């Protein structure tokens, strides 16, 4: 070796583990972010997720957590790389090497690591997303909506994250080279990052802050909207989650520094002290892991909650088959349905068919004002705002089998079977209008009725109904059919054939989504305005519009205004209908849990790298292999266990809080409780996986430290 570059290259070969660790962390972070971005921006996904809907917001929220986690992770890996490199750098400076020489060699290394790992991660991100998605299609579920398409613009997000990684590496390198004290540089790798003394009240206070932050973050946006009449910017809403972040940090600080056991505090003094001496790094990594675990569980709860809730809803329906149509449409009548049933060997055991009317009703609407810092609104009342479906009491009783008696001049709203979901109905009605004749009727709201299959409809007294609906044309009338079959489990071919027949015989005038309101459309036409939810207006805004040729898509099945409710059809087609929703959130959970596993493994392996001399000294001082093993296990156990407990516990409480406050009235429904039971099974499965990774990691660290596990 005759040149400085040759000597530097020899040291690089000796420390190739450090270079591999840094390159691997950068590669893995960019890989995950690219795969997530490609999936999140895929036209396949964006076509299914409604614009501005909660699903898109949840996907973006978890993406932000993943970006923060991977950014902190790569920054930690880079800091560790420079710390371990400091000794050799200090020796070079002491032997007369110039900073310019070191800078040139370091720039060459970092250029190769940064651009090589980022380019490889970005290049393989889309193939990884495609491979995982194809695995879902092959082994779990496939549908006509599942073919995955990519948007090249998704790589802008990957490029932005790669740019952060590159800039961060070179910024840390510049700071590293600028240091002037050679002794400090030489001793850098041996310096600890201890945390100051932490009071024991940090733990309980952290729990209170975490819970308060979750509560405030969830409830304050509702307070702004309902009390202050203000749609606050998203950044303002996010501020109220900060106490939760501070609380998690305090919990982790308390755990690392003090622990939760007051007795036998000296029993694990070695392992606890090692963690305290590297406290800042440890707490940062544990906080990132906690956030990622919370985000991963939030995504992974989506599928079991949706599946369990839907299955419970389908199973609890009192009627096997329901379909309805606008009276000017020519849909299958009883004799035609009976003939189709006989062709498919299905026996119809009950049949109820009743008419209903679409009437105009009063209500309040919002008048919004953009303030430049959010949007404020005021409300105004009008006697004719929107339409709703109204039944006479006798028609309602014939369909449902109930025996209700609506007083004259009264009107009952219909809620779900548990008296909730009021937000899905039009609220109380006090002034009704016949849209054909202009006749009106003032009514008094009474106690709502409970029947999920007619959620959002209304019931009037027979006499009032007959008087108000006189003169209505078929455009403003509907027909409802309820019937049961003898063997619903074997009626799928019949259900599919009847569904296809209903769609085939429906005209283009009813090829609209459930957001379409005939009364509002008529009012807009009278005013010479374009109705905001006409098919043309909806399509121009990129929102979903039903298409009869796409009848098996999730959008059509979920949003067509006249979609039938066939128990067996909904049960059997649920997974294929909701495949994209379900698989997307499973993919997100996989990405986040993969990041958690890599971060935990990397952090634990640095224990072997940083504390190797400490364990060697303990061995020379007479520490037994069992003692060393218990010390290592104590450290690694905390790295895995504490974030898992905090992240799982907080997201579980937060999820339960969401379900509770989403209830109308407040509380939990049977389907929600069943769904949370399924989520517990997910927690158990993931916990088993993390325990397996913990065991593998423990063995790897012990092997690196020459400790028999």
């Amino acid at each position: 070796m005759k040149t400085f570059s040759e000597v530097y290259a020899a040291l690089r070969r000796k420390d190739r583990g450090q270079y591999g660790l840094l390159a691997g962390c950068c590669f893995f972070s960019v890989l995950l972010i690219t795969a997530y971005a490609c999936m999140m921006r895929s036209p396949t996904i964006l076509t299914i997720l409604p614009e501005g809907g909660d699903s898109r917001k949840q996907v973006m929220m978890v993406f932000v957590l993943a970006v923060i986690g991977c950014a902190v992770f790569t920054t930690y890996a880079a800091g560790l790389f420079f710390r371990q490199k400091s000794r050799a750098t200090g020796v070079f400076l002491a032997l007369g090497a110039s900073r310019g020489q070191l800078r040139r060699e370091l720039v060459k290394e970092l250029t190769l690591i940064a651009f090589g790992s980022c380019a490889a991660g970005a290049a393989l991100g889309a193939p990884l997303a495609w491979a995982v998605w194809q695995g879902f299609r092959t082994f779990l579920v496939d549908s006509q909506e599942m073919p995955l398409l990519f948007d090249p613009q998704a790589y802008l997000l990957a490029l932005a994250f790669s740019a952060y990684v590159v800039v961060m590496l070179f910024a840390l390198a510049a700071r590293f080279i600028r240091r002037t004290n050679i002794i400090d540089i030489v001793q850098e790798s041996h310096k600890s990052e201890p945390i100051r003394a932490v009071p024991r009240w940090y733990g309980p206070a952290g729990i209170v802050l975490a819970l308060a932050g979750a509560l405030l973050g969830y409830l304050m946006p509702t307070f702004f909207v309902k009390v202050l009449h203000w749609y606050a910017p998203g950044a303002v809403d996010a501020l109220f989650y900060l106490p939760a972040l501070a609380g998690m940090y305090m919990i982790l600080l308390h755990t690392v520094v003090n622990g939760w056991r007051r007795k036998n505090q000296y029993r694990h003094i070695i392992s606890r002290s090692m963690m305290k001496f590297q406290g800042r790094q440890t707490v940062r990594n544990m906080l990132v892991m906690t956030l990622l675990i919370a985000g991963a569980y939030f995504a992974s709860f989506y599928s079991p909650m949706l599946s369990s809730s839907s299955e419970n809803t389908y199973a609890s329906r009192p009627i096997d088959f329901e379909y309805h149509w606008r009276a000017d449409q020519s849909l299958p009548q009883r004799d035609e349905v009976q003939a189709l049933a006989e062709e498919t060997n299905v026996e119809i055991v009950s049949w109820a068919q009743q008419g209903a009317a679409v009437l105009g009703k009063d209500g309040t609407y919002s008048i919004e004002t953009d303030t430049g810092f959010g949007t404020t609104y005021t409300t105004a009342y009008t006697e004719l705002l929107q339409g709703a479906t109204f039944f006479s009491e006798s028609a309602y009783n014939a369909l449902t089998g109930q025996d209700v008696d609506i007083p004259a001049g009264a009107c009952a709203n219909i809620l779900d079977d548990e008296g909730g979901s009021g937000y899905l109905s039009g609220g109380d009605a006090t002034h009704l209008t016949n849209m054909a004749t202009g006749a009106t009727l003032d009514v008094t709201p009474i106690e709502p009725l409970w029947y999920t299959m007619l959620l959002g409809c209304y019931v009037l007294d027979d006499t009032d109904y007959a008087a108000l609906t006189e003169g209505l044309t078929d455009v403003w009338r509907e027909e409802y059919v309820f019937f049961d079959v003898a063997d619903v489990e074997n009626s799928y071919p019949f259900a599919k054939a009847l569904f296809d027949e209903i769609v085939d015989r429906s005209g283009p005038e009813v090829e609209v989504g459930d957001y379409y309101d005939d009364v509002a459309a008529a009012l807009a036409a009278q005013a010479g305005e374009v109705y905001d939810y006409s098919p043309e207006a909806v399509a121009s805004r990129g929102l979903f519009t039903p298409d009869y040729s796409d009848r098996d898509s999730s959008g059509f099945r979920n949003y067509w205004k006249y979609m039938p409710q066939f128990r067996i059809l909904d049960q059997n087609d649920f997974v294929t209908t909701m495949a994209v929703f379900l698989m997307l959130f499973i993919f997100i959970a996989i990405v986040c849990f993969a990041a958690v596993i890599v971060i935990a493994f990397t952090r634990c392996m640095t224990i072997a790298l940083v504390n190797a001399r400490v364990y060697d000294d303990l061995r020379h001082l007479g520490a037994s292999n069992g003692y060393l093993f218990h010390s290592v296990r104590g450290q690694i156990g905390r790295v895995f266990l504490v974030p898992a407990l905090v992240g799982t516990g907080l997201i579980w409480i937060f999820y339960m809080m969401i379900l509770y406050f989403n209830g109308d009235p407040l509380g939990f429904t049977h389907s929600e409780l069943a769904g949370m039971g399924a989520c517990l099974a997910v927690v158990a499965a993931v916990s088993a996986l993390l325990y397996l990774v913990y065991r593998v990691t423990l063995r790897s660290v012990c092997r690196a430290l020459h400790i028999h596990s």
Side-chain angles (χ1 to χ4, degrees), residues 39 82 110 133 142 203 254 259 281 304 383 409 443 491 511 527 680:
M39 188 66 69
F82 288 115
L110 291 182
W133 196 256
D142 197 8
H254 175 75
Q281 297 176 7
E383 291 186 339
V443 293
S491 64
E511 195 175 10
L680 276 179

Side-chain angles (χ1 to χ4, degrees), residues 479-502:
E479 288 290 321
Y480 276 74
V481 169
F482 283 17
F483 67 93
D484 289 321
V485 297
D487 185 7
V488 68
E489 295 301 325
N490 294 315
S491 64
Y492 180 81
F494 165 72
K496 187 66 170 69
L498 180 57
F499 169 66
D500 287 335
E501 185 71 12
I502 289 171

Side-chain angles (χ1 to χ4, degrees), residues 396 402 404 406 412-416 419 446-451 459:
Y396 176 80
Q402 298 180 12
V404 302
I406 306 297
N413 189 10
I414 303 177
L415 303 179
D416 64 24
I446 61 173
E447 189 72 19
L449 304 174
W450 295 7
Y451 200 81
V459 182

Side-chain angles (χ1 to χ4, degrees), residues 491-532:
S491 64
Y492 180 81
F494 165 72
K496 187 66 170 69
L498 180 57
F499 169 66
D500 287 335
E501 185 71 12
I502 289 171
V503 175
D504 289 339
R505 292 170 60 171
S506 296
E509 57 274 13
V510 293
E511 195 175 10
V512 295
D514 57 3
Y515 45 73
Y516 187 88
D517 188 299
D518 294 280
V519 171
L523 292 176
Q526 291 175 10
E529 301 172 351
V530 176
Y531 177 46
D532 288 340

Side-chain angles (χ1 to χ4, degrees), residues 74-290:
T74 51
T75 304
Y76 160 72
L80 182 64
F81 172 79
F82 288 115
R83 280 171 59 85
Q84 296 303 315
K85 201 171 181 60
S86 61
R87 182 175 177 82
T89 302
V91 171
F92 276 132
L93 289 173
L95 292 176
S98 68
R99 296 184 187 278
Q101 288 177 302
L102 292 171
R103 184 181 297 108
R104 284 191 293 272
E105 295 298 327
L106 193 57
V107 166
K108 286 191 293 185
E109 291 178 345
L110 291 182
T111 300
L112 181 62
I113 291 174
F115 288 96
S117 59
C118 290
L124 295 177
L128 173 64
W130 182 86
V132 173
W133 196 256
Q134 287 301 113
F136 290 158
R137 296 182 65 187
T138 303
F139 299 106
L140 295 180
V141 62
D142 197 8
S143 72
Q144 65 179 32
E145 298 174 300
M146 286 288 282
L148 189 62
L149 303 174
F150 289 123
D151 181 358
Q153 292 186 356
Y155 268 94
L156 294 177
L157 297 174
L159 182 62
F161 185 79
S162 299
Y164 162 78
V165 172
V166 172
V167 171
M168 178 269 298
L169 285 175
F170 281 97
L172 291 180
R175 189 182 69 174
F176 177 72
I177 291 296
R178 282 198 303 268
R179 300 184 63 180
T180 57
N181 192 318
I182 295 178
I183 300 301
D184 286 346
I185 296 175
V186 171
Q187 296 298 323
E188 175 68 21
S189 62
H190 302 299
K191 287 183 179 180
S192 61
E193 292 184 331
I195 301 175
R196 61 177 176 80
V198 174
R200 296 202 68 88
W201 55 262
Y202 257 49
I207 294 175
V208 172
L209 271 179
L211 296 177
L215 190 66
L216 286 174
Y218 183 72
L219 293 181
M220 287 307 294
T222 304
F223 173 80
F224 291 150
V225 173
K226 292 188 175 181
V227 178
L228 301 184
H229 289 196
W230 176 45
Y231 295 103
V236 174
D237 294 339
L239 287 176
F240 290 93
Y241 283 107
L242 292 181
L245 189 64
M248 284 189 288
Y249 189 75
M250 292 172 67
I251 292 172
L252 297 175
L253 273 179
H254 175 75
T255 303
V256 169
V257 177
N258 300 323
W260 293 88
R261 297 179 180 178
R262 289 183 175 271
K263 296 182 179 180
N264 300 324
Q265 294 188 26
Y266 297 101
R267 185 177 179 182
H268 304 289
I269 189 171
I270 298 296
S271 60
R272 212 150 35 104
S273 296
M274 286 183 184
M275 293 194 75
K276 287 173 65 175
F277 290 146
Q278 300 160 22
R280 296 178 189 173
Q281 297 176 7
T282 302
V283 172
R284 287 193 210 109
N285 280 270
M286 291 169 72
L287 181 60
V288 169
M289 288 174 60
T290 301

Side-chain angles (χ1 to χ4, degrees), residues 370-415:
D370 188 1
T371 64
F373 189 66
T375 302
T376 60
Y377 73 94
T378 57
T379 58
Y381 171 82
T382 179
E383 291 186 339
L384 184 55
L385 177 67
Q386 59 192 9
T389 300
F390 288 78
F391 291 92
S392 66
E393 58 187 353
S394 57
Y396 176 80
N397 290 335
L399 288 174
T400 66
Q402 298 180 12
D403 184 19
V404 302
D405 181 17
I406 306 297
C411 177
N413 189 10
I414 303 177
L415 303 179

